Amino acid sequence: MLRSRTRKLSALFMAAAALLGLTGAATGVAQAKPQPQAKPQTQSKPQTQSKPQTQTAPQAAETPNPVIFVHGYNADPGVWGSLRADFRASGYTDAELFSWGYDTDRSVNETLSGRFAAYVAEVRAQTGADRVDIVAHSFGSLVTRWYIKHGGGAGTVDDWVSLAGPNHGTTTAWLCALWSQACRDMTPGSYVQDRLAEGDETPGTVSYATFWSNCDEVINPDDSVPLTGATNIASGCLEHNDFLFDATVSQGVRDFVR
């Protein structure tokens, strides 16, 4: 009987142990480990707005010097029609282009240089410019050179251009020297020629350029045109008045005074 009770107690103990073990296992399976909470994401700093780029103000186009065209012997301001049109096409206005007319039989040094000086003063007063550019054809080269060298113009002229100018005289001027003082001034060895040639042929801070041709029927010899200290440009086989209309010469003149 004692053994019977012992067996019953043993069975009850084993049943309780088994129950407790199964319960623990079930409990361990049922309780999942808590997942660690993700750290709250740090809000990214607002991006710094880039500074607005400073816009560079467009530079104002530089105002060119007024250009004064000076015709040659026995001519008038109308000869500059083609070259003036080219200058306008390059951006110049009529208010920046001037053509001086004068009596071409007058003396370079006694009359014309002084009259030209007065005209330059008028142009500067009208435009407010400190300096002017000069483009001269033929005899006009002597008048304007005298103004620069002996007439006080070295400080008022920026660029000077001579187209087929008799800068050292031309023998063809003897054909009209009998009745024209201007022609006498153009002859080799004249007072005007000697005074212009003495010392520095291209004085002051003025930029000088000459355009010449070996086919010029008026300028004899051909090398009378170039000056020491100037930019001397051989323009091919052009006759004397072709310089007023030639496209290559026109471009060269505009490039030089710019």
Side-chain angles (χ1 to χ4, degrees):
M1 184 166 198
L2 181 59
R3 290 181 180 176
S4 175
R5 287 181 179 177
T6 300
R7 287 176 181 169
K8 287 182 180 180
L9 289 172
S10 178
L12 288 173
F13 177 78
M14 290 177 66
L19 180 60
L20 289 174
L22 288 175
T23 304
T27 304
V29 172
Q31 292 182 354
K33 293 182 179 181
Q35 297 287 334
Q37 292 184 353
K39 294 181 180 179
Q41 293 183 352
T42 304
Q43 291 184 351
S44 59
K45 295 180 180 179
Q47 293 183 350
T48 304
Q49 292 184 352
S50 58
K51 295 181 179 180
Q53 293 183 351
T54 303
Q55 293 185 350
T56 304
Q59 293 183 349
E62 185 178 352
T63 303
N65 293 325
V67 180
I68 301 177
F69 299 95
V70 182
H71 62 76
Y73 179 72
N74 201 27
D76 60 57
V79 300
W80 296 112
S82 178
L83 198 54
R84 284 178 62 109
D86 291 344
F87 268 79
R88 287 194 298 271
S90 296
Y92 284 78
T93 66
D94 283 325
E96 297 163 338
L97 303 175
F98 300 84
S99 299
W100 183 54
Y102 61 100
D103 182 354
T104 61
D105 283 321
R106 298 292 183 174
S107 166
V108 167
N109 58 310
E110 294 175 353
T111 305
L112 297 179
S113 176
R115 292 180 181 178
F116 182 66
Y119 185 78
V120 172
E122 291 176 7
V123 170
R124 292 175 62 214
Q126 180 177 327
T127 61
D130 291 330
R131 293 177 175 244
V132 300
D133 295 334
I134 296 173
V135 180
H137 179 240
S138 193
F139 176 64
S141 302
L142 302 185
V143 177
T144 53
R145 279 183 65 204
W146 191 280
Y147 163 67
I148 294 172
K149 187 165 186 173
H150 300 299
T156 61
V157 177
D158 189 14
D159 300 314
W160 175 88
V161 178
S162 170
L163 305 179
N167 293 316
H168 296 102
T170 176
T171 59
T172 58
W174 289 112
L175 298 175
C176 54
L178 183 62
W179 65 84
S180 171
Q181 180 60 50
C183 288
R184 288 192 288 274
D185 289 343
M186 286 189 281
T187 58
S190 70
Y191 174 79
V192 168
Q193 292 292 344
D194 288 347
R195 288 295 310 278
L196 288 175
E198 67 184 10
D200 189 355
E201 289 192 320
T202 52
T205 59
V206 181
S207 297
Y208 297 82
T210 72
F211 291 74
W212 65 280
S213 164
N214 56 5
C215 296
D216 192 328
E217 77 284 6
V218 172
I219 303 302
N220 184 40
D222 296 330
D223 61 2
S224 173
V225 180
L227 293 170
T228 302
T231 300
N232 300 301
I233 302 169
S235 303
C237 188
L238 295 178
E239 294 186 357
H240 193 64
N241 288 333
D242 289 344
F243 285 88
L244 299 167
F245 310 101
D246 184 76
T248 302
V249 170
S250 171
Q251 187 63 62
V253 171
R254 285 175 283 143
D255 289 343
F256 185 78
V257 301
R258 278 291 191 182

